[in-house]
Amino acid sequence: MSLSTPSPHRRVVAVTLLIPALVALALWAFAWPAARTAPRDLPLGVAGPTAATAPVEQRLEHQEGAFDLHHYADEAAAREAVENREVYGAVVVTGQGPKLLTASAASPVVAQLLQQAVTQQAAASGSRVTTVDVVPAAEGDPRGAVLSASVLPLALAGIGAGAAVTLLGLRGARAVAALAGSATLVGAAAAALAHSWLDAVPGNLWTVAGTFALAALAMGATVAGLAALLGRAGIALGGLVIMLLGNPFSGASSAPEMLPEPAGAIGRWLPPGAGVSLLRSVSFFDGAGAAGPALTLTWWAALGLGAVLVGGALKERTRSARSASGREPVPAG
Protein backbone atom coordinates (compact mmCIF):
# COMPACT_ATOMS: atom_id res chain seq x y z
CA MET A 1 0.00 0.00 0.00
CA SER A 2 1.23 3.46 -0.85
CA LEU A 3 2.24 5.63 2.08
CA SER A 4 0.14 8.50 0.67
CA THR A 5 -3.08 6.43 0.65
CA PRO A 6 -5.16 6.83 3.84
CA SER A 7 -5.90 3.62 5.69
CA PRO A 8 -9.50 2.31 5.72
CA HIS A 9 -9.80 3.27 9.40
CA ARG A 10 -8.79 6.85 8.69
CA ARG A 11 -11.25 7.06 5.82
CA VAL A 12 -14.06 5.81 8.07
CA VAL A 13 -13.15 8.43 10.68
CA ALA A 14 -12.96 11.15 8.02
CA VAL A 15 -16.43 10.34 6.67
CA THR A 16 -17.85 10.01 10.19
CA LEU A 17 -16.64 13.47 11.16
CA LEU A 18 -17.00 15.26 7.83
CA ILE A 19 -20.70 14.63 7.22
CA PRO A 20 -21.89 15.94 10.63
CA ALA A 21 -19.60 18.95 10.23
CA LEU A 22 -21.12 19.75 6.84
CA VAL A 23 -24.64 19.33 8.24
CA ALA A 24 -23.84 21.64 11.14
CA LEU A 25 -22.36 24.20 8.75
CA ALA A 26 -25.41 24.03 6.48
CA LEU A 27 -27.82 24.40 9.40
CA TRP A 28 -25.87 27.40 10.68
CA ALA A 29 -25.73 29.04 7.24
CA PHE A 30 -29.43 28.58 6.45
CA ALA A 31 -31.12 28.61 9.86
CA TRP A 32 -29.20 31.43 11.56
CA PRO A 33 -30.20 34.20 9.10
CA ALA A 34 -33.79 32.92 9.02
CA ALA A 35 -34.05 32.89 12.81
CA ARG A 36 -32.59 36.41 13.17
CA THR A 37 -34.56 38.16 10.42
CA ALA A 38 -35.26 41.75 11.46
CA PRO A 39 -34.71 45.26 10.03
CA ARG A 40 -31.19 46.60 10.50
CA ASP A 41 -30.55 50.10 9.17
CA LEU A 42 -33.28 49.53 6.61
CA PRO A 43 -33.40 52.61 4.31
CA LEU A 44 -36.73 54.36 4.88
CA GLY A 45 -37.85 57.80 3.74
CA VAL A 46 -39.87 60.37 5.65
CA ALA A 47 -41.42 63.18 3.59
CA GLY A 48 -43.01 66.45 4.55
CA PRO A 49 -42.24 69.65 6.47
CA THR A 50 -39.64 69.18 9.19
CA ALA A 51 -42.01 70.25 11.97
CA ALA A 52 -44.63 67.73 10.83
CA THR A 53 -42.25 64.81 10.28
CA ALA A 54 -40.29 65.23 13.54
CA PRO A 55 -42.72 63.17 15.68
CA VAL A 56 -42.80 60.41 13.05
CA GLU A 57 -39.00 60.28 12.87
CA GLN A 58 -38.76 60.15 16.67
CA ARG A 59 -41.12 57.18 16.84
CA LEU A 60 -39.22 55.36 14.10
CA GLU A 61 -35.85 56.13 15.68
CA HIS A 62 -37.17 54.70 18.93
CA GLN A 63 -36.59 51.29 17.33
CA GLU A 64 -32.84 51.55 17.68
CA GLY A 65 -30.91 50.36 14.65
CA ALA A 66 -34.01 49.27 12.73
CA PHE A 67 -34.25 52.09 10.18
CA ASP A 68 -31.89 54.38 8.33
CA LEU A 69 -34.08 57.45 7.84
CA HIS A 70 -33.85 59.75 4.80
CA HIS A 71 -35.76 63.03 4.81
CA TYR A 72 -37.49 64.32 1.67
CA ALA A 73 -39.27 67.58 1.07
CA ASP A 74 -42.48 66.16 -0.40
CA GLU A 75 -44.23 63.07 -1.71
CA ALA A 76 -42.85 63.46 -5.23
CA ALA A 77 -39.26 63.37 -4.00
CA ALA A 78 -40.00 60.39 -1.77
CA ARG A 79 -41.70 58.53 -4.61
CA GLU A 80 -38.69 59.14 -6.85
CA ALA A 81 -36.36 57.80 -4.14
CA VAL A 82 -38.43 54.61 -3.91
CA GLU A 83 -38.39 54.18 -7.69
CA ASN A 84 -34.61 54.69 -7.74
CA ARG A 85 -34.08 52.04 -5.02
CA GLU A 86 -32.63 54.59 -2.60
CA VAL A 87 -35.16 53.54 0.06
CA TYR A 88 -37.53 50.58 0.47
CA GLY A 89 -40.44 52.86 1.29
CA ALA A 90 -41.39 56.26 2.63
CA VAL A 91 -43.80 57.75 5.14
CA VAL A 92 -45.42 60.90 3.77
CA VAL A 93 -46.96 63.16 6.40
CA THR A 94 -50.14 64.81 5.07
CA GLY A 95 -53.01 66.78 6.55
CA GLN A 96 -55.29 63.76 6.13
CA GLY A 97 -52.90 61.45 7.93
CA PRO A 98 -49.76 59.49 7.05
CA LYS A 99 -49.34 57.91 3.64
CA LEU A 100 -46.99 54.97 3.22
CA LEU A 101 -45.20 54.42 -0.06
CA THR A 102 -43.86 50.90 -0.53
CA ALA A 103 -42.19 48.83 -3.25
CA SER A 104 -43.19 45.19 -2.98
CA ALA A 105 -41.02 44.53 -6.05
CA ALA A 106 -37.95 45.32 -3.94
CA SER A 107 -39.11 42.95 -1.21
CA PRO A 108 -42.65 41.83 -0.36
CA VAL A 109 -41.46 40.99 3.15
CA VAL A 110 -40.11 44.49 3.74
CA ALA A 111 -43.25 46.09 2.28
CA GLN A 112 -45.41 44.09 4.68
CA LEU A 113 -43.12 44.90 7.61
CA LEU A 114 -43.27 48.63 6.88
CA GLN A 115 -47.04 48.53 6.59
CA GLN A 116 -47.37 46.82 9.95
CA ALA A 117 -44.90 49.14 11.69
CA VAL A 118 -46.40 52.38 10.33
CA THR A 119 -49.98 51.20 10.87
CA GLN A 120 -49.29 50.38 14.51
CA GLN A 121 -47.70 53.77 15.11
CA ALA A 122 -50.56 55.56 13.38
CA ALA A 123 -53.15 53.62 15.38
CA ALA A 124 -51.48 54.76 18.60
CA SER A 125 -52.00 58.39 17.53
CA GLY A 126 -55.56 57.77 16.33
CA SER A 127 -54.93 58.16 12.60
CA ARG A 128 -55.24 55.82 9.63
CA VAL A 129 -52.59 55.00 7.07
CA THR A 130 -53.06 55.03 3.32
CA THR A 131 -50.68 52.59 1.59
CA VAL A 132 -49.55 52.99 -2.02
CA ASP A 133 -47.45 50.29 -3.69
CA VAL A 134 -45.27 52.47 -5.93
CA VAL A 135 -43.42 49.57 -7.59
CA PRO A 136 -45.55 46.44 -7.18
CA ALA A 137 -44.33 42.90 -7.58
CA ALA A 138 -45.32 40.93 -10.67
CA GLU A 139 -48.95 39.84 -10.83
CA GLY A 140 -47.82 36.30 -11.49
CA ASP A 141 -45.55 36.31 -8.43
CA PRO A 142 -46.94 38.78 -5.84
CA ARG A 143 -44.89 37.28 -3.00
CA GLY A 144 -41.63 37.10 -4.92
CA ALA A 145 -41.47 33.33 -4.49
CA VAL A 146 -40.25 32.59 -8.01
CA LEU A 147 -37.49 35.18 -7.86
CA SER A 148 -36.35 33.87 -4.46
CA ALA A 149 -36.47 30.27 -5.66
CA SER A 150 -34.31 31.09 -8.69
CA VAL A 151 -31.19 31.49 -6.51
CA LEU A 152 -30.77 27.77 -5.81
CA PRO A 153 -31.05 26.54 -9.44
CA LEU A 154 -28.60 29.21 -10.58
CA ALA A 155 -26.17 28.23 -7.83
CA LEU A 156 -26.46 24.55 -8.80
CA ALA A 157 -25.97 25.44 -12.47
CA GLY A 158 -22.84 27.45 -11.70
CA ILE A 159 -21.34 24.79 -9.45
CA GLY A 160 -22.22 22.08 -11.97
CA ALA A 161 -20.65 23.95 -14.87
CA GLY A 162 -17.46 24.69 -12.97
CA ALA A 163 -17.17 21.09 -11.77
CA ALA A 164 -17.89 19.65 -15.23
CA VAL A 165 -15.25 21.81 -16.89
CA THR A 166 -12.71 20.66 -14.32
CA LEU A 167 -13.56 16.95 -14.30
CA LEU A 168 -13.69 16.79 -18.10
CA GLY A 169 -10.18 18.20 -18.27
CA LEU A 170 -11.06 21.34 -20.22
CA ARG A 171 -8.44 24.08 -19.95
CA GLY A 172 -7.68 27.53 -21.23
CA ALA A 173 -9.83 28.92 -24.02
CA ARG A 174 -11.88 25.72 -24.28
CA ALA A 175 -12.85 25.94 -20.62
CA VAL A 176 -13.77 29.61 -20.99
CA ALA A 177 -15.89 28.83 -24.07
CA ALA A 178 -17.67 25.99 -22.27
CA LEU A 179 -18.44 28.17 -19.24
CA ALA A 180 -19.69 31.05 -21.39
CA GLY A 181 -21.80 28.78 -23.57
CA SER A 182 -23.33 27.01 -20.58
CA ALA A 183 -24.14 30.31 -18.86
CA THR A 184 -25.77 31.66 -22.03
CA LEU A 185 -28.07 28.65 -22.30
CA VAL A 186 -28.85 28.78 -18.58
CA GLY A 187 -29.81 32.43 -18.93
CA ALA A 188 -32.06 31.70 -21.90
CA ALA A 189 -33.78 28.79 -20.14
CA ALA A 190 -34.25 30.69 -16.88
CA ALA A 191 -35.69 33.71 -18.68
CA ALA A 192 -38.03 31.55 -20.72
CA LEU A 193 -39.42 29.99 -17.55
CA ALA A 194 -39.46 32.94 -15.12
CA HIS A 195 -40.27 35.69 -17.62
CA SER A 196 -42.35 34.15 -20.37
CA TRP A 197 -44.03 31.14 -18.75
CA LEU A 198 -44.49 32.07 -15.06
CA ASP A 199 -44.77 35.83 -15.72
CA ALA A 200 -42.86 36.40 -12.48
CA VAL A 201 -39.98 38.53 -13.75
CA PRO A 202 -41.11 41.37 -16.05
CA GLY A 203 -38.91 43.70 -18.03
CA ASN A 204 -37.08 43.18 -21.28
CA LEU A 205 -36.68 39.47 -22.05
CA TRP A 206 -33.11 39.78 -23.33
CA THR A 207 -32.04 41.91 -20.36
CA VAL A 208 -33.49 39.36 -17.95
CA ALA A 209 -31.80 36.51 -19.85
CA GLY A 210 -28.50 38.40 -19.77
CA THR A 211 -28.81 38.91 -16.02
CA PHE A 212 -29.43 35.21 -15.42
CA ALA A 213 -26.52 34.36 -17.71
CA LEU A 214 -24.11 36.76 -16.01
CA ALA A 215 -25.00 35.37 -12.58
CA ALA A 216 -24.53 31.79 -13.80
CA LEU A 217 -21.20 32.69 -15.43
CA ALA A 218 -19.94 34.40 -12.28
CA MET A 219 -20.69 31.30 -10.19
CA GLY A 220 -19.40 28.80 -12.74
CA ALA A 221 -16.21 30.77 -13.35
CA THR A 222 -15.60 31.03 -9.60
CA VAL A 223 -15.75 27.26 -9.14
CA ALA A 224 -13.70 26.52 -12.28
CA GLY A 225 -11.13 29.19 -11.42
CA LEU A 226 -10.58 27.86 -7.91
CA ALA A 227 -10.30 24.34 -9.31
CA ALA A 228 -7.76 25.49 -11.91
CA LEU A 229 -5.56 26.90 -9.17
CA LEU A 230 -6.19 24.43 -6.31
CA GLY A 231 -7.14 21.24 -8.09
CA ARG A 232 -10.31 19.34 -7.27
CA ALA A 233 -10.32 20.84 -3.79
CA GLY A 234 -11.23 24.10 -5.51
CA ILE A 235 -14.56 22.59 -6.56
CA ALA A 236 -15.42 21.91 -2.93
CA LEU A 237 -14.28 25.36 -1.83
CA GLY A 238 -16.21 27.11 -4.60
CA GLY A 239 -19.30 25.04 -3.87
CA LEU A 240 -19.16 25.89 -0.18
CA VAL A 241 -18.78 29.61 -0.86
CA ILE A 242 -21.67 29.75 -3.32
CA MET A 243 -24.06 27.24 -1.77
CA LEU A 244 -23.47 27.62 1.98
CA LEU A 245 -22.72 31.35 2.05
CA GLY A 246 -23.97 32.95 -1.14
CA ASN A 247 -27.35 31.20 -1.21
CA PRO A 248 -28.61 31.80 2.37
CA PHE A 249 -26.88 35.20 2.66
CA SER A 250 -28.36 36.51 -0.61
CA GLY A 251 -31.39 38.08 1.08
CA ALA A 252 -33.53 36.91 -1.83
CA SER A 253 -36.52 36.05 0.34
CA SER A 254 -36.37 39.30 2.32
CA ALA A 255 -33.55 41.86 1.91
CA PRO A 256 -29.87 42.12 2.88
CA GLU A 257 -30.82 44.66 5.55
CA MET A 258 -33.08 42.05 7.14
CA LEU A 259 -30.22 39.60 7.77
CA PRO A 260 -27.93 39.59 10.81
CA GLU A 261 -24.50 41.06 10.29
CA PRO A 262 -22.17 40.21 8.72
CA ALA A 263 -24.43 37.92 6.66
CA GLY A 264 -26.14 40.80 4.89
CA ALA A 265 -22.88 42.51 3.98
CA ILE A 266 -21.26 39.26 2.82
CA GLY A 267 -24.27 38.33 0.72
CA ARG A 268 -24.14 41.57 -1.27
CA TRP A 269 -20.61 40.76 -2.45
CA LEU A 270 -21.24 37.14 -3.45
CA PRO A 271 -22.68 36.18 -6.85
CA PRO A 272 -26.10 34.88 -5.67
CA GLY A 273 -26.92 38.06 -3.75
CA ALA A 274 -25.60 40.33 -6.48
CA GLY A 275 -27.57 38.35 -9.07
CA VAL A 276 -30.87 38.74 -7.19
CA SER A 277 -30.30 42.46 -6.69
CA LEU A 278 -29.47 42.98 -10.37
CA LEU A 279 -32.50 40.97 -11.43
CA ARG A 280 -34.80 43.14 -9.30
CA SER A 281 -33.27 46.31 -10.74
CA VAL A 282 -33.60 45.38 -14.41
CA SER A 283 -37.01 43.75 -14.00
CA PHE A 284 -38.89 46.29 -11.90
CA PHE A 285 -36.88 49.51 -11.52
CA ASP A 286 -35.73 50.25 -15.09
CA GLY A 287 -32.13 49.53 -14.13
CA ALA A 288 -32.00 51.79 -11.06
CA GLY A 289 -29.41 50.49 -8.61
CA ALA A 290 -28.05 48.00 -11.15
CA ALA A 291 -24.49 49.31 -11.40
CA GLY A 292 -23.21 47.91 -8.12
CA PRO A 293 -24.44 44.29 -8.48
CA ALA A 294 -23.57 44.23 -12.19
CA LEU A 295 -20.01 45.26 -11.40
CA THR A 296 -19.82 42.66 -8.61
CA LEU A 297 -20.90 39.85 -10.95
CA THR A 298 -18.54 41.07 -13.67
CA TRP A 299 -15.57 41.02 -11.29
CA TRP A 300 -16.37 37.49 -10.10
CA ALA A 301 -16.70 36.30 -13.72
CA ALA A 302 -13.52 38.08 -14.84
CA LEU A 303 -11.44 36.84 -11.91
CA GLY A 304 -12.75 33.30 -12.30
CA LEU A 305 -12.12 33.15 -16.04
CA GLY A 306 -8.71 34.72 -15.53
CA ALA A 307 -7.86 32.03 -12.99
CA VAL A 308 -9.00 29.38 -15.49
CA LEU A 309 -6.63 30.76 -18.14
CA VAL A 310 -3.72 31.18 -15.71
CA GLY A 311 -4.21 27.73 -14.20
CA GLY A 312 -4.38 26.13 -17.63
CA ALA A 313 -1.23 27.94 -18.77
CA LEU A 314 0.67 26.86 -15.64
CA LYS A 315 -0.33 23.23 -16.09
CA GLU A 316 0.61 23.32 -19.76
CA ARG A 317 3.99 24.80 -18.90
CA THR A 318 4.57 22.14 -16.26
CA ARG A 319 3.64 19.39 -18.71
CA SER A 320 5.96 20.83 -21.37
CA ALA A 321 8.81 21.06 -18.88
CA ARG A 322 8.34 17.44 -17.84
CA SER A 323 8.22 16.29 -21.45
CA ALA A 324 11.40 18.21 -22.26
CA SER A 325 13.22 16.77 -19.29
CA GLY A 326 12.13 13.27 -20.28
CA ARG A 327 13.64 13.72 -23.74
CA GLU A 328 17.05 14.94 -22.52
CA PRO A 329 19.84 12.72 -23.93
CA VAL A 330 21.74 10.62 -21.47
CA PRO A 331 25.48 11.57 -21.54
CA ALA A 332 27.86 8.80 -22.56
CA GLY A 333 29.72 7.16 -19.70
Side-chain angles (χ1 to χ4, degrees), residues 57-158:
E57 293 180 357
Q58 290 177 358
R59 287 194 293 268
L60 292 172
E61 289 175 347
H62 185 68
Q63 305 179 39
E64 295 183 4
F67 301 107
D68 177 20
L69 299 181
H70 300 250
H71 186 83
Y72 300 99
D74 51 29
E75 180 179 345
R79 183 183 290 266
E80 183 179 359
V82 173
E83 293 173 345
N84 290 335
R85 299 199 72 183
E86 297 175 8
V87 292
Y88 282 92
V91 181
V92 182
V93 180
T94 68
Q96 294 74 33
K99 177 187 289 187
L100 175 63
L101 306 179
T102 63
S104 59
S107 172
V109 171
V110 171
Q112 184 178 7
L113 179 146
L114 292 178
Q115 187 171 2
Q116 292 175 349
V118 175
T119 299
Q120 290 175 358
Q121 291 187 0
S125 61
S127 57
R128 298 182 60 182
V129 178
T130 301
T131 302
V132 179
D133 197 349
V134 177
V135 188
E139 293 183 3
D141 187 30
R143 298 179 181 178
V146 174
L147 191 146
S148 301
S150 66
V151 177
L152 180 59
L154 282 178
L156 292 175

Side-chain angles (χ1 to χ4, degrees), residues 1-325:
M1 179 182 295
S2 173
L3 294 177
S4 61
T5 302
S7 67
H9 297 291
R10 290 184 178 180
R11 281 178 276 180
V12 169
V13 173
V15 172
T16 304
L17 297 178
L18 180 61
I19 300 303
L22 289 176
V23 170
L25 180 60
L27 285 174
W28 167 79
F30 283 88
W32 172 56
R36 298 291 186 269
T37 299
R40 294 171 177 83
D41 291 327
L42 188 75
L44 176 65
V46 179
T50 303
T53 59
V56 176
E57 293 180 357
Q58 290 177 358
R59 287 194 293 268
L60 292 172
E61 289 175 347
H62 185 68
Q63 305 179 39
E64 295 183 4
F67 301 107
D68 177 20
L69 299 181
H70 300 250
H71 186 83
Y72 300 99
D74 51 29
E75 180 179 345
R79 183 183 290 266
E80 183 179 359
V82 173
E83 293 173 345
N84 290 335
R85 299 199 72 183
E86 297 175 8
V87 292
Y88 282 92
V91 181
V92 182
V93 180
T94 68
Q96 294 74 33
K99 177 187 289 187
L100 175 63
L101 306 179
T102 63
S104 59
S107 172
V109 171
V110 171
Q112 184 178 7
L113 179 146
L114 292 178
Q115 187 171 2
Q116 292 175 349
V118 175
T119 299
Q120 290 175 358
Q121 291 187 0
S125 61
S127 57
R128 298 182 60 182
V129 178
T130 301
T131 302
V132 179
D133 197 349
V134 177
V135 188
E139 293 183 3
D141 187 30
R143 298 179 181 178
V146 174
L147 191 146
S148 301
S150 66
V151 177
L152 180 59
L154 282 178
L156 292 175
I159 295 171
V165 164
T166 303
L167 297 178
L168 292 176
L170 298 178
R171 297 175 184 171
R174 291 183 178 178
V176 171
L179 290 169
S182 173
T184 301
L185 294 179
V186 166
L193 293 172
H195 180 281
S196 302
W197 180 46
L198 298 175
D199 195 24
V201 183
N204 181 271
L205 174 62
W206 298 111
T207 304
V208 171
T211 299
F212 277 123
L214 180 58
L217 178 61
M219 289 184 267
T222 297
V223 174
L226 288 172
L229 298 177
L230 305 177
R232 294 191 177 185
I235 299 177
L237 178 59
L240 287 175
V241 170
I242 292 173
M243 185 60 67
L244 294 186
L245 291 181
N247 191 19
F249 292 2
S250 67
S253 60
S254 56
E257 294 85 356
M258 296 289 289
L259 303 180
E261 292 298 340
I266 294 174
R268 295 169 189 254
W269 293 101
L270 294 177
V276 169
S277 181
L278 180 58
L279 188 60
R280 291 189 190 278
S281 291
V282 302
S283 299
F284 299 99
F285 295 89
D286 294 327
L295 184 60
T296 299
L297 291 175
T298 301
W299 272 111
W300 278 101
L303 291 175
L305 295 178
V308 168
L309 293 174
V310 170
L314 291 176
K315 289 180 180 178
E316 188 63 30
R317 182 179 299 178
T318 301
R319 176 183 298 179
S320 299
R322 289 178 178 174
S323 299
S325 62

